[in-house]
Amino acid sequence: MSVWALGINHHTAPLDLRGRFAFALDQIPRTLDGYRHSLARQPEATLLSTCNRTELYAAGEQSAVEPTLDWLAQTGGVSTHVLKDHAYILREGEAARHAFRVASGLDSMVLGEAQILGQMKDAVRAADEAGALGTTLHQLFQRSFAVAKQVRTSTEIGAHSISMTAAAVRLASQLFEDLKDIKVLFVGAGEMIELAATHFAAKTPKSMAIANRTLERGEALAGRFGAQVMRLADIPERLHEFDAVVSCTASTLPIIGLGAVERALKKRKHRPMFMVDLAVPRDIEIEVKGLSDVYLYTVDDLASVVQTGKENRQAAVAQAEAIIDAGVLSFMHWLDQRDPAKGGVVPLIQQINAQADAWRAAELARAKKLLARGDPVEAVLEALSKGLTQKMLHGTLAELHAGDAETRAATAQTVSRLFLREKS
């Protein structure tokens, strides 16, 4: 059993490539099922997909790594060569270290952000419900969550962090003299939009509106902020009303196109528009960025803003890395205990327990037959104990009589140590 991770993230791949490999949470079970059935021997697998990363964690044969790379490339509609140029493959301890760092927020665009931990828990839950999560990955992720909790409680890694949505408000403040004078449109009704609405609402803008595919979910979120609700289909006709637009949906195609923005600018007499696209893949066509009166920012554009305060957290990073190092050592020890090639005894213990259970079941079945036949209880118990004893000692006694004198002497020492040790 080998553990490995294959992925791309904001460090290694541009936004448009990451968009090709974005999976909504409800797509994960079906995607994992397709992946596992593409291989001759199905590995344990978990798929983590966020705005900043798509990562597949697996436990199985090392030979499955290359076919997995081919499968992922085909799923994203790119060549294996293109994906390989931007992907990373991490094995064993390095895969565990990466999982622990991701869970702890050390590999995030926003250093120390907490949202990724919830996203990872959702991904693990989806894999478990799909039947793709086995003992090894269950251990890996439960330890990831424990390490992340220790990092949060023992260090100040999350102190002074600036979220994507807070960064969006900061940039809007630089464009507009007073956010109380602007109208804001939020496209979507997920967690990221909820965070964005919370940050903008704190600045008490003139008005806020939420556009969502389903009005019910949009209304539930709008009710918290006193915002209007509108359908996605209404955006092209009403876009000109808004000074700021923040979008984050799970759509596979852009929600707001170049033509719609051009028409909105014309109606606004080219008053500037502030737009933030937090979605991967994009919600707003990239060509919009070329318009002179539009200030469009993507998740990657916000990178420099969210790094503010990073220097203040470097000491906390060192503490967090030490916690992660200890977690990796512990996990690898657990993994090695299950690998006979590395002296692991867990498989042998499991075999011994299975053999003992088989002997016990056989003698118990025999005893039940004797009781049903009417044999005395004492005689049945005597036969049961004698049968178990003979089965458990047969191999040991046979070894004591086998081999040459030197082998018998070594066996005798081992048997004495196992069966005749003094009670402490």
Side-chain angles (χ1 to χ4, degrees):
M1 179 70 70
S2 178
V3 177
W4 42 273
L6 165 65
I8 57 174
N9 63 20
H10 58 288
H11 297 302
T12 68
L15 188 152
D16 286 327
L17 182 63
R18 299 202 306 273
R20 288 179 168 272
F21 298 94
F23 300 93
L25 188 61
D26 59 3
Q27 293 178 305
I28 288 180
R30 183 173 66 254
T31 303
L32 284 177
D33 187 64
Y35 159 63
R36 297 176 74 224
H37 280 91
S38 72
L39 301 174
R41 299 187 65 177
Q42 297 183 14
E44 299 178 28
T46 301
L47 182 63
L48 173 64
S49 182
T50 72
C51 293
N52 293 330
R53 71 184 68 249
T54 294
E55 296 175 339
L56 195 150
Y57 295 85
E61 298 176 343
Q62 276 285 356
S63 58
V65 174
E66 290 301 323
T68 299
L69 190 66
D70 294 336
W71 169 85
L72 189 59
Q74 184 179 12
T75 302
V78 302
S79 69
T80 300
H81 175 73
V82 168
L83 178 59
K84 200 168 188 176
D85 284 345
H86 296 278
Y88 43 88
I89 299 173
L90 305 168
R91 296 175 171 84
E92 311 301 351
E94 287 307 307
R97 183 183 308 281
H98 183 73
F100 295 171
R101 295 186 84 253
V102 169
S104 302
L106 267 67
D107 195 59
S108 297
M109 185 178 289
V110 182
L111 181 62
E113 60 98 2
Q115 187 180 10
I116 184 62
L117 181 58
Q119 292 170 325
M120 183 177 277
K121 287 181 177 180
D122 288 341
V124 171
R125 192 178 301 112
D128 192 23
E129 292 172 355
L133 193 71
T135 302
T136 301
L137 286 190
H138 175 79
Q139 274 289 323
L140 173 67
F141 287 111
Q142 291 307 310
R143 288 168 184 260
S144 296
F145 304 153
V147 164
K149 181 178 180 180
Q150 188 177 356
V151 167
R152 299 250 170 235
T153 56
S154 303
T155 76
E156 294 186 1
I157 193 68
H160 314 296
S161 66
I162 302 175
S163 70
M164 289 287 182
T165 51
V169 173
R170 176 177 291 188
L171 288 169
S173 299
Q174 294 173 4
L175 178 62
F176 301 107
E177 287 187 15
D178 193 340
L179 295 187
K180 292 181 180 179
D181 297 328
I182 70 170
K183 296 181 179 181
V184 187
L185 170 64
F186 300 99
V187 183
E191 184 178 358
M192 191 69 80
I193 289 297
E194 183 177 353
L195 288 171
T198 301
H199 279 96
F200 271 95
K203 301 296 182 180
T204 61
K206 182 183 292 185
S207 70
M208 293 167 54
I210 293 175
N212 196 51
R213 195 174 303 279
T214 57
L215 281 180
E216 293 79 12
R217 188 168 180 180
E219 288 170 347
L221 184 58
R224 291 181 48 194
F225 301 103
Q228 306 171 27
V229 182
M230 54 188 281
R231 297 181 184 277
L232 291 182
D234 297 331
I235 291 177
E237 294 304 317
R238 295 191 57 188
L239 189 59
H240 68 281
E241 300 175 19
F242 302 98
D243 306 291
V245 179
V246 181
S247 186
C248 187
T249 74
S251 175
T252 56
L253 296 172
I255 300 291
I256 301 174
L258 175 63
V261 180
E262 287 177 328
R263 290 190 297 273
L265 286 173
K266 188 174 181 180
K267 290 180 180 180
R268 290 172 58 83
K269 301 187 186 304
H270 292 274
R271 283 183 293 116
M273 290 183 71
F274 174 77
M275 307 185 81
V276 177
D277 188 353
L278 296 173
V280 179
R282 299 175 190 272
D283 276 347
I284 302 173
E285 287 186 346
I286 186 58
E287 291 80 8
V288 170
K289 200 162 191 173
L291 299 175
S292 58
D293 297 306
V294 173
Y295 297 82
L296 172 62
Y297 298 89
T298 66
V299 287
D300 287 356
D301 295 325
L302 295 174
S304 60
V305 181
V306 301
Q307 294 307 316
T308 303
K310 183 175 181 180
E311 297 76 12
N312 299 331
R313 300 194 297 278
Q314 289 309 306
V317 170
Q319 293 176 317
E321 294 286 10
I323 293 171
I324 288 169
D325 287 343
V328 172
L329 286 174
S330 177
F331 175 72
M332 292 309 297
H333 175 72
W334 178 88
L335 202 60
D336 288 347
Q337 286 291 302
R338 281 146 183 79
D339 187 353
K342 296 179 180 178
V345 297
V346 170
L348 177 60
I349 292 172
Q350 292 172 335
Q351 290 174 7
I352 291 173
N353 283 331
Q355 181 64 81
D357 281 342
W359 288 335
R360 180 185 61 80
E363 289 303 318
L364 190 60
R366 180 168 171 268
K368 287 179 178 179
K369 287 182 180 179
L370 294 176
L371 287 172
R373 195 176 65 184
D375 288 14
V377 173
E378 288 189 5
V380 173
L381 291 175
E382 181 71 20
L384 174 64
S385 62
K386 185 177 291 185
L388 277 174
T389 302
Q390 289 176 341
K391 280 181 168 62
M392 298 182 75
L393 292 179
H394 173 73
T396 301
L397 297 177
E399 286 296 317
L400 285 171
H401 289 96
D404 54 28
E406 185 176 349
T407 301
R408 289 198 301 273
T411 302
Q413 286 184 345
T414 301
V415 171
S416 296
R417 188 170 67 254
L418 293 175
F419 292 96
L420 303 178
R421 65 168 60 185
E422 294 289 336
K423 289 186 177 179
S424 56

